[in-house]
Amino acid sequence: MQAKHPEESRTTLTDLVLPSETNPLNNLFGGELLARMDRAASIAARRHSRRIVVTASVNHVAFNKAVPLGSVVTVEAAVSRAFKSSMEIFIDVWVEDRESGNRSKANEAIYTFVAVDETGSPVAVPPLDPETELEKERYEAALRRKQLSLVLAGKMKPNEATELKALFES
């Protein structure tokens, strides 16, 4: 299977925050943002694998900045690492200033998707070949995150988590 680049999976969704999507403080509901991130990540995973994909986990979400009513929100997702049948998707959320048009990063998340066939069985996905420095950083960190997740779930022994051990050994 031929490797793909993160850029090939990059997905950008831009939308407006409407009154029905806000909490009593007139900020975007966290759940609404999660759904938007899930949709963008799903498209990125499908573009990479060209298969049916399902959300396996939401590994990390940081709600760093409130997203006010009327804001233009852009969700950018791209595959950060591909494993056997799973893909880690890194998501950046940007808010556009209404007056200046400048964008600032509001939130980020990391989702994991699995490619499946029509019966729901996992299928292999192409490897990922990162190009930019940021893509390479996210690619390397993805293996550590996966190993940590497997250790915490009891699916990997801590002494087998070589990438995690390397962080603590000098």
Side-chain angles (χ1 to χ4, degrees):
M1 211 175 284
Q2 186 173 344
K4 292 186 173 183
H5 302 291
E7 191 59 37
E8 295 175 72
S9 70
R10 188 161 316 283
T11 300
T12 303
L13 300 180
T14 301
D15 204 355
L16 190 64
V17 177
L18 301 173
S20 65
E21 302 165 332
T22 61
N23 62 26
L25 297 174
N26 284 323
N27 293 317
L28 183 65
F29 278 120
E32 173 64 29
L33 183 56
L34 289 170
R36 292 179 187 197
M37 291 187 292
D38 195 42
R39 283 191 293 275
S42 174
I43 295 167
R46 181 145 188 153
R47 284 178 172 167
H48 181 80
S49 66
R50 291 293 167 204
R51 300 303 294 248
I52 298 167
V53 295
V54 294
T55 308
S57 65
V58 176
N59 307 330
H60 168 77
V61 177
F63 295 107
N64 297 321
K65 183 177 176 184
V67 181
L69 173 65
S71 296
V72 172
V73 180
T74 300
V75 178
E76 295 177 347
V79 174
S80 50
R81 183 129 186 186
F83 296 96
K84 184 179 176 187
S85 61
S86 66
M87 296 157 281
E88 182 189 89
I89 316 298
F90 205 103
I91 305 156
D92 295 302
V93 179
W94 303 88
V95 176
E96 190 175 308
D97 182 80
R98 286 177 246 192
E99 293 179 16
S100 70
N102 293 333
R103 290 184 351 151
S104 60
K105 188 169 178 179
N107 304 292
E108 67 181 24
I110 301 170
Y111 283 44
T112 299
F113 278 77
V114 174
V116 298
D117 63 18
E118 289 72 19
T119 67
S121 298
V123 294
V125 298
L128 189 75
D129 182 18
E131 297 179 293
T132 69
E133 283 308 310
L134 179 59
E135 290 169 353
K136 290 174 185 177
E137 287 172 20
R138 289 179 173 178
Y139 179 88
E140 292 300 324
L143 182 55
R144 292 188 293 274
R145 286 189 289 271
K146 180 172 182 152
Q147 287 185 353
L148 178 59
S149 177
L150 291 172
V151 168
L152 293 174
K155 296 178 180 178
M156 176 183 270
K157 294 177 182 171
N159 65 338
E160 296 171 348
T162 56
E163 292 299 311
L164 289 177
K165 283 177 27 180
L167 291 174
F168 301 102
E169 296 173 349
S170 41

